[in-house]
Amino acid sequence: MDQYFGAVNIANVKPIRDIVYENLRKAIMDGKLQPGERIVEKDYAEKMNISRTPIREALRKLEIEGLVQYIPRKGVVVNGFNHEDIVEIYAIRKALEGLAMKYVIQKITEEEIGKLKKLTDCMESSNAAGDYESLFNTCKEFNEVILSASRMPKITGLINTMQEYLERFRRITMSKRTRRESAIQEHKAILQAIIDRDAERAERLVYEHLDASEKVFFEGL
């Protein structure tokens, strides 16, 4: 945990409350802070060698985001994700990524398409070699290139937030052989729709890709 909560460098250009917020948020997203675990202001202030005020401010932001909650007589605890939360997050991603795809079709460059082609080749190579961590990271990069090609930073920012929520769950789905293989084919189909400049097909394929991922995740519960 020291990588998240070592002493804060006061020379950092970011406000301390933002550094604390980012570190706490990353620890929750990475699963280092588990659902139900208490976050005690005093303890974290001592670990990071700062006052309790920025800890309190960061916890307020995390509470608004739904990542922690205040429970009377217990204090601040990390929230877990229930079935309804995950369904809602997937629904938001489907809507936002479908919207982004319309702009991707209009604005993507041939250079970016070339990069996507290389990434799909890397997916197949990683899967064949049994390097599933590389496969996961390549799929992630594929998504990042597509979103960047939309030239819509606000939409991309919202999608990235949703993706962060689901990152641990995506690792679960990608641990299944059949899902890995089908996900690669789905990425290739999305790429072909982009090459063909077919916005309607690309949007539908993105929806189907996320729908398949959601179904596989819940089947494993």
Side-chain angles (χ1 to χ4, degrees), residues 149-167:
S150 73
R151 313 290 190 263
M152 300 293 282
K154 290 183 174 59
I155 293 176
T156 298
L158 291 170
I159 292 171
N160 286 338
T161 297
M162 296 299 105
Q163 287 179 333
E164 287 174 4
Y165 286 144
L166 292 173
E167 182 136 338

Side-chain angles (χ1 to χ4, degrees), residues 96-151:
L96 290 175
E97 292 194 29
L99 175 61
M101 192 56 67
K102 295 177 181 178
Y103 297 99
V104 171
I105 296 297
Q106 295 171 15
K107 300 178 180 181
I108 194 166
T109 65
E110 290 301 319
E111 182 180 354
E112 287 166 326
I113 288 174
K115 188 169 186 179
L116 291 173
K117 288 178 180 177
K118 290 178 181 177
L119 288 170
T120 56
D121 290 341
C122 288
M123 289 178 201
E124 292 188 319
S125 299
S126 297
N127 191 45
D131 188 350
Y132 305 132
E133 183 66 22
S134 176
L135 173 60
F136 179 85
N137 290 332
T138 304
C139 290
K140 186 175 178 181
E141 186 178 356
F142 182 92
N143 293 335
E144 288 170 353
V145 172
I146 288 179
L147 291 177
S148 176
S150 73
R151 313 290 190 263

